[in-house]
Amino acid sequence: MSSSISRRALLAGAAATALATTTKPAWAAPLATADGFAGVNSLGQNGTTGGAGGPVVTVRDADAFLDYCDRNEPYVIQVDGVMRISSKQGVRSNKTIIGLGSTAEISGGGLDLYRRQNVIIRNLRFTGADDDAISIQQSSHHVWIDHCDLSGGADGLIDIVRGADYITVSWNHFHDHSKTALLGHSDSNAGQDTGKLRVTFHHNFFDGTAQRHPRVRFGEPVHVYNNYFRNNTLYGVASTENAGVLVEANYFENVPHPIYSGYDESGPGRVVERGNVYVRSGTPETLGTVVEPRTYYAYTPDSAASLPGIVPAGAGVGRI
């Protein structure tokens, strides 16, 4: 075989590993619409649509999966089975990566969005990443992470850093891990992060994870609403370095420190709490005022008291 034949050329027509289709399976159609900050029209992007309008392909091995993630064109990439990768692998703009059924998985490594936009990641299990499971960085924007199951990585499960913006993290199940979600990587990065890191967390199940649900530097507003926090040993939410975080209509159960203003060596952040339920949990810390998320988008929270029922039943894979 000629050495001039590219890896992409080898993979492009590989029906055994990537089956191109023109229609979505019934359970995935129509593709849902991103809400929260990922649904906001800004930075030249009308919400987050991912690979809508591009070809729909199904991948069954890691080589085919990474090949489609690395293409410049829009794609809806349906993941069938376990993709075993290592390190953080790049995903280009205008992609929807969506698992089929309840067994699609990214194992051993993670996904890296570096100066990308308009990416949807849904219905995937992430396990055993050797770095971050999902990294969103360097001014990437309009990203929606929805109905995933994340656990057991070497570092963060989700890192949103270095000027990333307009992101929604919804209906995910986080478990068997310590450092869950970080917004802003360093106390010294105010110049890049101030006025950015606008992120919505809603209807996530933080199930026994220790900390960072999320831990925030500089971003405003960060909207944390309708999440179920259970048995989080270090803390729930931490607002630091003058971040502005609204913690609204969540359910905290067995969380000794549900909300911090300031943490470790980071200075205090502004944080407003309202409508939360605290069961066998400590007293939340609050400070100052925060820009209202309704400045950007409309939403209607569920009753906080209902969350122990609806969030575990709806969060994670196999439920879209």
Side-chain angles (χ1 to χ4, degrees):
M1 183 179 292
S2 171
S3 60
S4 65
I5 298 176
S6 69
R7 173 174 173 268
R8 176 168 294 178
L10 285 170
L11 291 166
T17 59
L19 178 64
T21 63
T22 57
T23 59
K24 306 175 187 67
W27 62 267
L31 289 177
T33 302
D35 59 2
F37 274 112
V40 172
N41 297 340
S42 187
L43 303 178
Q45 185 68 40
N46 294 326
T48 301
T49 57
V56 180
V57 297
T58 299
V59 295
R60 298 190 173 93
D61 67 63
D63 281 345
F65 171 66
L66 296 177
D67 175 67
Y68 281 108
C69 287
D70 194 42
R71 297 190 182 195
N72 288 317
E73 304 82 7
Y75 277 96
V76 176
I77 304 167
Q78 299 181 147
V79 177
D80 185 5
V82 179
M83 306 294 108
R84 302 189 189 281
I85 63 176
S86 62
S87 189
K88 293 191 292 187
Q89 300 291 335
V91 176
R92 294 190 183 270
S93 300
N94 306 311
K95 300 291 184 293
T96 296
I97 303 173
I98 185 166
L100 295 178
S102 60
T103 60
E105 182 175 320
I106 310 297
S107 177
L111 302 181
D112 185 32
L113 279 62
Y114 186 98
R115 295 180 181 169
R116 307 304 182 197
Q117 62 272 341
N118 194 32
V119 174
I120 296 172
I121 301 170
R122 301 187 77 208
N123 200 48
L124 284 167
R125 180 172 283 107
F126 290 82
T127 62
D130 54 12
D131 198 326
D132 300 326
I134 301 175
S135 175
I136 305 168
Q137 59 170 317
Q138 294 294 1
S139 301
S140 293
H141 61 90
H142 287 89
V143 179
W144 182 29
I145 302 169
D146 178 70
H147 279 95
C148 292
D149 182 296
L150 301 101
S151 66
D155 196 359
L157 293 179
I158 297 177
D159 276 17
I160 301 168
V161 298
R162 297 179 173 86
D165 213 357
Y166 293 104
I167 294 161
T168 297
V169 180
S170 58
W171 292 102
N172 300 289
H173 184 196
F174 300 90
H175 59 98
D176 296 293
H177 194 77
S178 177
K179 299 175 180 179
T180 306
L182 177 67
L183 276 60
H185 73 288
S186 167
D187 290 354
S188 64
N189 205 46
Q192 186 178 22
D193 288 341
T194 300
K196 305 291 181 63
L197 301 179
R198 285 167 282 206
V199 183
T200 305
F201 286 83
H202 75 82
H203 293 93
N204 298 290
F205 185 16
F206 298 113
D207 180 13
T209 43
Q211 59 182 311
R212 300 185 180 180
H213 312 98
R215 185 197 200 280
V216 186
R217 297 176 172 98
F218 306 115
E220 183 180 15
V222 173
H223 191 195
V224 181
Y225 82 94
N226 274 169
N227 301 282
Y228 181 26
F229 298 80
R230 187 176 72 181
N231 300 330
N232 310 119
T233 54
L234 292 180
Y235 64 88
V237 179
S239 178
T240 74
E241 297 299 321
N242 199 37
V245 183
L246 173 61
V247 183
E248 178 180 22
N250 301 281
Y251 195 103
F252 294 88
E253 182 178 352
N254 296 326
V255 183
H257 302 285
I259 303 171
Y260 273 137
S261 172
Y263 185 72
D264 196 18
E265 297 181 358
S266 299
R270 290 167 290 114
V271 57
V272 170
E273 74 87 29
R274 66 184 181 218
N276 299 292
V277 172
Y278 302 95
V279 175
R280 296 181 297 279
S281 296
T283 301
E285 296 180 0
T286 60
L287 179 69
T289 61
V290 176
V291 172
E292 280 288 338
R294 284 192 176 90
T295 304
Y296 293 88
Y297 57 84
Y299 67 97
T300 303
D302 291 315
S303 165
S306 71
L307 299 178
I310 67 174
V311 170
V317 297
R319 288 155 179 187
I320 60 173

